[in-house]
Amino acid sequence: MLRLARTTADLLARGLRPGTKFGRGEVAALLEYKSPTSGAFNQRFADFRKYGIVEGRGDSMQASDLAQRLAASTPTEYEEALKELASKVPLFQELIGRFKGATPGDEEMLSALMNITKANRMDVQAQLAKIRNLYVD
């Protein structure tokens, strides 16, 4: 999620201006992908769409309001945009619904993640700190 936010800010810094129309090829070039049809680029671009970073279709796409706020110069605007981005991720939607915005303890978070993801305890523990930090922030 943080990588998506940083990539969005980077795209806007490299030349995708708010309100300017662009196509997949321009995004691929700005992100230094060799082809706008490569599997890696398609996955990255699908994430942009899924999480509301770009709007439109074909050569008439543009950066969303969320994308512009992720690239904002003020920490407050960025933090609010990052929270909005997190709320679009199914795992975080589930955690927010479960904990009602409260900060759970490590064991409570571990148990919730195991129940949600159906992953084993060791796999969840390996990712717990990262997920917890993203949730708390």
Side-chain angles (χ1 to χ4, degrees), residues 87 89-102 112 116 135:
S87 75
V89 176
L91 175 63
F92 289 103
Q93 288 173 345
E94 182 74 27
L95 291 172
I96 290 165
R98 216 173 259 234
F99 297 120
K100 309 287 187 243
I116 293 167
Y135 176 78

Side-chain angles (χ1 to χ4, degrees), residues 3-129:
R3 182 204 248 166
L4 185 61
R6 283 192 293 269
T7 302
T8 300
D10 191 40
L11 273 175
L12 292 174
R14 290 184 187 197
L16 289 187
R17 296 286 165 239
T20 302
K21 304 290 185 193
F22 56 84
R24 291 173 59 91
E26 292 166 274
V27 175
L30 287 170
L31 292 176
E32 299 176 359
Y33 282 91
K34 293 179 182 174
S35 167
T37 59
S38 72
F41 176 74
N42 283 334
Q43 182 58 54
R44 174 67 52 93
F45 199 76
D47 288 343
F48 286 147
R49 285 189 178 286
K50 181 178 181 180
Y51 299 115
I53 302 298
V54 297
E55 300 169 336
R57 294 234 173 258
D59 288 332
S60 295
M61 291 182 280
Q62 62 183 15
S64 68
D65 177 62
L66 175 59
Q68 294 171 44
R69 288 183 288 123
L70 285 167
S73 57
T74 68
T76 303
E77 268 187 302
Y78 175 77
E79 289 297 323
E80 289 300 315
L82 196 55
K83 285 179 186 177
E84 184 179 332
L85 179 62
S87 75
K88 295 173 184 263
V89 176
L91 175 63
F92 289 103
Q93 288 173 345
E94 182 74 27
L95 291 172
I96 290 165
R98 216 173 259 234
F99 297 120
K100 309 287 187 243
T103 302
D106 283 347
E107 275 304 312
E108 193 176 10
M109 177 69 87
L110 179 68
S111 176
L113 289 169
M114 287 171 49
N115 286 327
I116 293 167
T117 65
K118 308 297 185 222
N120 69 50
R121 185 177 190 87
M122 285 180 43
D123 290 342
V124 173
Q125 280 181 317
Q127 300 299 318
L128 181 63

